[in-house]
Amino acid sequence: MTRLLPDWFVERINPVPDEDDLPVSTLELFFDLIFVFTVAQFTALIAYDPLMGLIQTVLMFGFVWWIYAGYAWLTNVIPPERPARRTLLLCAMAGWLVIALTIPAAFKEEGGVWIAVGLLVVVLVHGLMYLQAARAFGPVFIANLVAVAAVFAAELGPDGVWRYALWAASAVIVWTVPIWHGQRGLNLHPAHITERHGLVVIVALGESVVAIGIGAAGLPIDADLLVAAVLGLAIGACLWWSLFVHDLPQTEHALTATKDAVKRVRKVLVGLSYAFIPVLVGILVTAAGLKHAVGHAMEPLDLASTLLLSGGVALFLLGTAGLRASMPLPRAWERVVLAVAVLALAPLGLVNTALQLGAIVIVLVAGLAVERKLATRAPKPAPSE
């Protein structure tokens, strides 16, 4: 394949000899911060209209997360160490900013095609850079462009079912790529790819704290505000603990122990891409629920808000269960049981907001404590091959 960019712009890629020599760069951290704005836009959609906002979020997030995760893969094989690569990533950041700004209008008549333009920019930059390192990425690049074309058709066409169907088509196109693409010719470094996906979750968890601040704007400083805010932070801390204390470190070890490059890529796809959809959507849904809860701790919530709070946490836990099952890590079923227990707490919010928030915290803390006790008694799993 001929090079798609001139040599003076993108130099020939050299493989990274040692996986431990690939730290996450400050530019990648800067890049991830755009996700704060993107997450905030999705959270606002869900908080404004829980049902339609959630539907629109799932449809858009399907494509957005695929491409965003793709940039974690990109910098895994092409570290942004040279000026040309950094310049291209900065251009992609501009495209992501356009996407974030236009998310609220994507399903409205005045939406226009700007979100599709932003997606085209990030897909082109991503694809042209990735092809410098892996020719096997070519079919994936084509699929990404077809998905962008579906978004253009959605935004140029009439509002309504047509737009929803084409956005759904764009997500289906990209997420079915691993079914027909054999993943040969791709390789990933375990420590870097695990850390990059973890950083996205940290950014999203930070958005749940931002949601508390937004919900508190203009409210009096009283128990209604402070109790809900502190309990909301406690829920976020439990979600952090459930993923980062054991699961992500063990995920890195499992990927490192998987010496076959194709098997490793497939584990990343299932565990850090597919399973992270409910993880991240769960954070968005929880943050939307917290926006409604802050300032109303001593009052009952409406049904939609109670479902957002418990349902968001349950989605997150189900995503971590998927991560465990994909590596594989032990006791994925524990997270399913914990998710069901948290979801069962939703009716408490109809009585009192603080009661539901407090019950979620208690169940999460108790569940994580039981997990820790069981983990200390169980034998260590055999290394993956």
Side-chain angles (χ1 to χ4, degrees):
M1 178 180 294
T2 58
R3 293 181 61 81
L4 300 177
L5 297 176
D7 289 337
W8 60 266
F9 198 57
V10 178
E11 300 177 43
R12 184 172 298 278
I13 305 303
N14 295 317
V16 179
D18 188 346
E19 293 171 351
D20 294 331
D21 293 335
L22 192 62
V24 174
S25 67
T26 54
L27 180 57
E28 291 171 88
L29 296 175
F30 186 19
F31 192 96
D32 283 346
L33 289 177
I34 293 186
F35 203 64
V36 173
F37 190 21
T38 307
V39 167
Q41 299 287 60
F42 284 129
T43 300
L45 279 180
I46 299 170
Y48 178 74
D49 186 340
L51 178 57
M52 296 307 299
L54 183 58
I55 293 172
Q56 294 171 7
T57 293
V58 170
L59 293 177
M60 288 188 285
F61 191 79
F63 190 11
V64 167
W65 170 240
W66 169 266
I67 300 301
Y68 202 91
Y71 273 90
W73 288 46
L74 172 67
T75 54
N76 186 273
V77 297
I78 306 179
E81 298 171 346
R82 299 171 183 171
R85 300 175 188 169
R86 293 169 181 165
T87 301
L88 284 169
L89 285 180
L90 289 170
C91 292
M93 289 166 65
W96 278 109
L97 181 60
V98 171
I99 293 169
L101 287 168
T102 52
I103 281 173
F107 286 87
K108 298 178 180 178
E109 292 184 4
E110 67 273 16
V113 297
W114 286 109
I115 191 168
V117 171
L119 285 167
L120 179 61
V121 170
V122 299
V123 166
L124 284 175
V125 172
H126 177 262
L128 295 176
M129 289 184 70
Y130 214 124
L131 284 172
Q132 308 306 307
R135 295 182 180 181
F137 186 75
V140 183
F141 185 27
I142 293 172
N144 292 344
L145 290 172
V146 172
V148 172
V151 175
F152 267 102
E155 297 301 317
L156 289 171
D159 191 16
V161 176
W162 168 265
R163 191 165 295 182
Y164 285 85
L166 285 171
W167 268 103
S170 70
V172 170
I173 289 168
V174 294
W175 286 106
T176 55
V177 166
I179 296 175
W180 51 263
H181 187 277
Q183 290 88 54
R184 296 190 180 279
L186 304 176
N187 196 11
L188 295 170
H189 306 296
H192 182 275
I193 200 68
T194 304
E195 184 177 358
R196 287 286 279 113
H197 282 77
L199 286 171
V200 171
V201 176
I202 283 291
V203 170
L205 283 173
E207 164 55 22
S208 67
V209 179
V210 173
I212 294 173
I214 294 174
L219 297 177
I221 307 300
D222 56 14
D224 271 340
L225 171 62
L226 298 178
V227 171
V230 172
L231 290 175
L233 178 60
I235 290 173
C238 289
L239 297 183
W240 167 84
W241 191 291
S242 70
L243 182 63
F244 286 88
V245 172
H246 296 294
D247 285 9
L248 277 187
Q250 290 177 2
T251 294
E252 180 183 334
H253 295 154
L255 292 175
T256 302
T258 305
K259 301 305 180 183
D260 184 273
V262 173
K263 290 182 178 179
R264 178 185 292 176
V265 168
R266 289 174 179 171
K267 283 186 175 183
V268 172
L269 270 171
V270 177
L272 295 178
S273 294
Y274 286 98
F276 265 43
I277 294 176
V279 166
L280 289 163
V281 173
I283 295 173
L284 303 179
V285 172
T286 304
L290 287 173
K291 287 184 70 173
H292 293 168
V294 171
H296 306 283
M298 304 307 167
E299 305 170 7
L301 281 174
D302 60 275
L303 179 60
S305 298
T306 64
L307 291 175
L308 289 177
L309 285 173
S310 288
V313 175
L315 268 177
F316 183 99
L317 293 170
L318 290 175
T320 63
L323 173 64
R324 288 185 172 189
S326 64
M327 286 300 115
L329 303 179
R331 297 180 306 282
W333 62 269
E334 293 176 1
R335 292 296 171 84
V336 178
V337 172
L338 191 54
V340 172
V342 170
L343 190 58
L345 300 174
L348 295 179
L350 299 174
V351 179
N352 182 273
T353 301
L355 181 63
Q356 182 186 5
L357 292 173
I360 292 174
V361 172
I362 291 171
V363 168
L364 288 175
V365 171
L368 294 173
V370 170
E371 277 190 6
R372 184 175 183 276
K373 183 170 289 188
L374 293 175
T376 57
R377 295 177 180 176
K380 293 185 178 179
S384 302
E385 295 297 337

